[in-house]
Amino acid sequence: MSNFSSALWAEMLKMFRSKVPLFTAIGFSMAPLAGGLFMIILKDPEAAKSLGLITTKAQLLTGTADWPSFMGFMAQAVAAGSMILFSIITIWVFGREFSDHTVKELLALPTSREAIIAAKFIVLSIWSLVITLLIFGEGLIVGILVVIPGWSIDLLQTSLVDILGGAALTLPLMSFVALLASSGRGYMPAFGWTILTLFMANLSAILVWGDWFPWAIPGLFSGVAGPRTETLGTHSYILLLITSIIGIVATFWWWRSADQTR
Amino acid sequence: MEFAIETNGLTKRFGNVIAVDSVDLRVKRGEIYGFLGLNGAGKTTTIRALLGMIRPSEGNVQVLEQVVGPNGRGPWAKVGHLVENPSAYPELSVRENLDIARRLHRIENQSVVNEIIERLGIASYADRKAGTLSTGNLQRLGLARALLHDPELLLLDEPANGLDPAGVVEIRELLRDLSQKQGVTVFMSSHILTEVDRLATRIGIIHKGKLIEELDADKLERLRAKYLLIKAHNVNAARNALKSAGYTILSSHDNEIRLNDLRAVAAPDEVAQVLVRAGVPPTHLAVEQENLEDHFLRLTSQ
């Protein structure tokens, strides 16, 4: 039994026994259902008129009732939603050790602290990506059920890249959430950080310098402000990578070095 | 000399507060070391420093002859611990909590979990979620986790917390057995001084961060002050009679008088004669010895 596999087994057991994966999956599953609702509204303009604001919002978000619009909505919803839902997962994985006072059971063990933190990052990544894939699958089913035109294999591949790419770009940024859930010794500082970064990401996108703000990059990748080839550059991905590495290194450093008084 | 625990000038500051101040601990292998102190005296900070959970501001810590930390380094495969209140993952069963500890201690043999469950008397709760346990059973779970890997050294912070009287006796016997039969070193802090008094072979008293006394249980026995306790119906008359006979009164209140001069402690019969002659015969006369609690309170009130 290796250092890392022991830690991974422990983290997996904690995840499977928790209700948080179920709740996050249910929360995330609202995105395809909302997309499907917009498609139904857009397919029937008469019914849409009677629904007032919902119709306006639906047109604003998707334009026409077809597969490209639906998958575009899905990618943007996942990009926006994943920042919150992945944060909840990360906050739970790290912050619960402090709120349940179990952190002291993880510090003086033959299994290294580094292995435990690496296992936590792996588990939250697997959990987040599985939920994203489930949502993608649910989106396909919803799209088929509402019967919209414009389906193609190319669209399937492009959508998968958009959705999984957005999720993959969001995940490394969770290192800062992990750091704050640890150093803040609980849930609230990390929640505050998530709200702050979401606000700043929106602000930076509006001010058209989102390509320089790492937390705006997953949203821009999903096409929320136009094709990503126009809104993002290589510098954006490098910046996101450097930022994420800083977050991960800081989290490991904190667990290795900070005084653990709880 | 091989020490299970050795600290040299261990100091921990939190801002301007000195939680632990130049503590030099020496705990021999196989000892049961009782670590006493008032709330905030520095007991838990010391235990956390021994476990590498906090970095000393000054000094160093060696556990089982290995330097502790930085970065969580230490002989943790041979050390079991219970720090402050016991904790567990509430949505996991007792068995699953212990199975996680088994994995993290990298023990292949799965049967150790059942063995420790039996040993700590929590078999009937084994499949119950830890979040539903009483404080006493949660404490037993914490002790089970500390003992799971047959450690050479146990660092226990208030091990009797939350246990019922039968549980206190059971854990005392368990720890004594581990020390005597398996040579396990036990370092335990406790507020229950009678427990430390009954169990510890060596005692350290920490006060305001400083280790103010360290002594063997045998020496404590010799150090404990003895006094003669006298009760009488007319305490004032008895006190006057004793003063007239040249005895020094240690204290006198309500219906009792305490004498601690050697003459009184060595010959209580002579004291009885003095009182009888004065017409105030004692209703109670006994040589008593201060307990650890008295000794501790006397030291920490100075």
Side-chain angles (χ1 to χ4, degrees):
Chain A
M1 207 183 301
S2 78
N3 205 13
F4 178 69
S5 68
S6 303
L8 190 62
W9 184 92
E11 290 304 319
M12 293 291 267
L13 179 63
K14 288 183 221 172
M15 185 192 76
F16 283 127
R17 287 290 179 270
S18 167
K19 290 187 174 69
V20 180
L22 178 67
F23 291 144
T24 47
I26 291 170
F28 225 23
S29 70
M30 293 301 126
L33 295 177
L37 180 65
F38 290 143
M39 291 299 115
I40 291 168
I41 293 165
L42 286 166
K43 279 171 68 181
D44 189 343
E46 288 307 311
K49 278 179 191 170
S50 67
L51 287 168
L53 279 175
I54 295 173
T55 310
T56 310
K57 185 71 177 168
Q59 283 173 337
L60 186 72
L61 283 167
T62 59
T64 51
D66 56 19
W67 272 102
S69 298
F70 178 64
M71 295 313 269
F73 168 81
M74 283 282 295
Q76 289 166 30
V78 168
S82 62
M83 197 64 88
I84 296 169
L85 283 160
F86 293 2
S87 287
I88 291 171
I89 294 168
T90 309
I91 289 166
W92 185 81
V93 166
F94 282 88
R96 66 91 42 99
E97 304 290 358
F98 298 91
S99 62
D100 287 336
H101 303 282
T102 45
V103 62
K104 57 184 186 260
E105 311 301 341
L106 302 175
L107 301 171
L109 291 167
T111 299
S112 69
R113 296 179 192 179
E114 289 82 353
I116 290 168
I117 300 313
K120 284 185 179 294
F121 275 123
I122 296 286
V123 163
L124 79 88
S125 301
I126 292 171
W127 178 355
S128 301
L129 291 174
V130 165
I131 289 179
T132 306
L133 282 171
L134 283 173
I135 299 316
F136 184 74
E138 185 193 339
L140 293 180
I141 294 166
V142 169
I144 291 165
L145 289 176
V146 296
V147 190
I148 41 177
W151 168 259
S152 71
I153 293 296
D154 280 351
L155 178 71
L156 179 72
Q157 287 171 347
T158 314
S159 307
L160 194 60
V161 169
D162 288 351
I163 289 172
L164 277 183
L169 292 174
T170 305
L171 262 178
L173 294 170
M174 292 301 114
S175 54
F176 283 89
V177 178
L179 176 64
L180 279 156
S182 306
S183 59
R185 296 179 165 89
Y187 302 134
M188 295 318 290
F191 270 124
W193 171 263
T194 302
I195 291 163
L196 177 70
T197 51
L198 269 174
F199 173 76
M200 294 295 290
N202 275 301
L203 188 66
S204 64
I206 290 165
L207 297 174
V208 204
W209 48 264
D211 55 325
W212 289 99
F213 187 65
W215 287 268
I217 292 168
L220 294 174
F221 182 90
S222 72
V224 71
R228 59 176 164 265
T229 47
E230 292 172 16
T231 54
L232 295 174
T234 310
H235 66 280
S236 310
Y237 300 106
I238 293 170
L239 192 62
L240 189 141
L241 180 69
I242 293 169
T243 308
S244 304
I245 288 170
I246 291 170
I248 290 166
V249 169
T251 307
F252 274 89
W253 176 87
W254 188 88
W255 275 80
R256 279 166 59 111
S257 309
D259 282 343
Q260 303 289 348
T261 53
R262 282 200 187 178
Chain B
M1 170 67 76
E2 275 190 12
F3 291 109
I5 297 170
E6 186 176 353
T7 71
N8 296 297
L10 175 63
T11 301
K12 182 64 190 178
R13 292 188 204 91
F14 295 104
N16 293 327
V17 178
I18 303 176
V20 176
D21 191 358
S22 304
V23 167
D24 296 320
L25 274 173
R26 300 283 183 277
V27 180
K28 293 178 205 153
R29 284 186 182 257
E31 270 186 346
I32 300 180
Y33 190 103
F35 195 48
L36 302 179
L38 301 170
N39 287 337
K43 300 188 299 293
T44 301
T45 304
T46 304
I47 288 180
R48 283 185 180 273
L50 296 179
L51 287 163
M53 293 180 185
I54 58 169
R55 286 174 167 235
S57 306
E58 285 168 33
N60 60 63
V61 175
Q62 283 187 56
V63 170
L64 300 174
E65 292 159 71
Q66 191 175 329
V67 175
V68 169
N71 308 333
R73 196 176 65 232
W76 310 131
K78 301 178 202 166
V79 178
H81 69 267
L82 179 66
V83 180
E84 288 186 301
N85 300 321
S87 56
Y89 298 105
E91 72 280 12
L92 267 59
S93 70
V94 167
R95 193 187 304 281
E96 286 169 335
N97 268 286
L98 290 169
D99 220 21
I100 283 184
R102 177 184 69 80
R103 290 271 187 161
L104 295 178
H105 274 286
R106 288 150 66 189
I107 301 168
E108 300 280 355
N109 181 6
Q110 294 181 23
S111 65
V112 295
V113 170
N114 283 335
E115 285 164 21
I116 202 70
I117 283 172
E118 288 293 333
R119 197 171 180 190
L120 267 296
I122 44 177
S124 52
Y125 306 98
D127 297 311
R128 194 187 278 190
K129 285 185 179 176
T132 66
L133 294 179
S134 65
T135 311
N137 282 325
L138 203 54
Q139 184 77 359
R140 283 171 185 266
L141 171 57
L143 285 164
R145 188 164 39 211
L147 293 167
L148 181 74
H149 51 296
D150 284 331
E152 291 176 25
L153 170 66
L154 276 170
L155 295 169
L156 305 174
D157 198 2
E158 304 285 350
N161 253 7
L163 297 174
D164 57 30
V168 170
V169 174
E170 195 184 322
I171 297 305
R172 184 201 309 153
E173 293 308 315
L174 175 69
L175 294 177
R176 185 175 285 143
D177 201 52
L178 284 168
S179 172
Q180 289 177 352
K181 291 186 180 160
Q182 295 176 37
V184 174
T185 310
V186 180
F187 182 90
M188 55 180 271
S189 77
S190 184
H191 284 108
I192 307 174
L193 300 183
T194 49
E195 269 314 295
V196 175
D197 207 4
R198 284 176 183 157
L199 191 60
T201 54
R202 193 163 166 77
I203 292 161
I205 296 176
I206 188 168
H207 187 54
K208 294 179 182 169
K210 288 181 185 289
L211 189 65
I212 56 171
E213 190 169 74
E214 206 177 20
L215 69 173
D216 291 331
D218 299 346
K219 191 179 172 191
L220 175 68
E221 187 65 28
R222 291 196 299 275
L223 275 178
R224 285 176 187 175
K226 286 182 179 173
Y227 58 89
L228 183 67
L229 178 68
I230 303 158
K231 291 183 183 175
H233 289 303
N234 188 341
V235 173
N236 284 336
R239 189 172 54 229
N240 291 336
L242 290 167
K243 275 186 183 172
S244 302
Y247 288 103
T248 308
I249 310 287
L250 173 65
S251 65
S252 168
H253 51 84
D254 298 333
N255 66 337
E256 66 174 50
I257 300 166
R258 291 183 183 199
L259 305 179
N260 69 338
D261 55 24
L262 275 176
R263 188 160 67 104
V265 172
D269 52 327
E270 288 177 13
V271 174
Q273 282 175 8
V274 167
L275 291 171
V276 168
R277 275 193 224 112
V280 276
T283 56
H284 178 97
L285 190 71
V287 176
E288 301 212 343
Q289 189 174 25
E290 75 172 2
N291 58 26
L292 178 58
E293 190 170 80
D294 298 327
H295 183 74
F296 173 78
L297 291 173
R298 186 157 53 82
L299 273 175
T300 54
S301 64
Q302 284 169 2

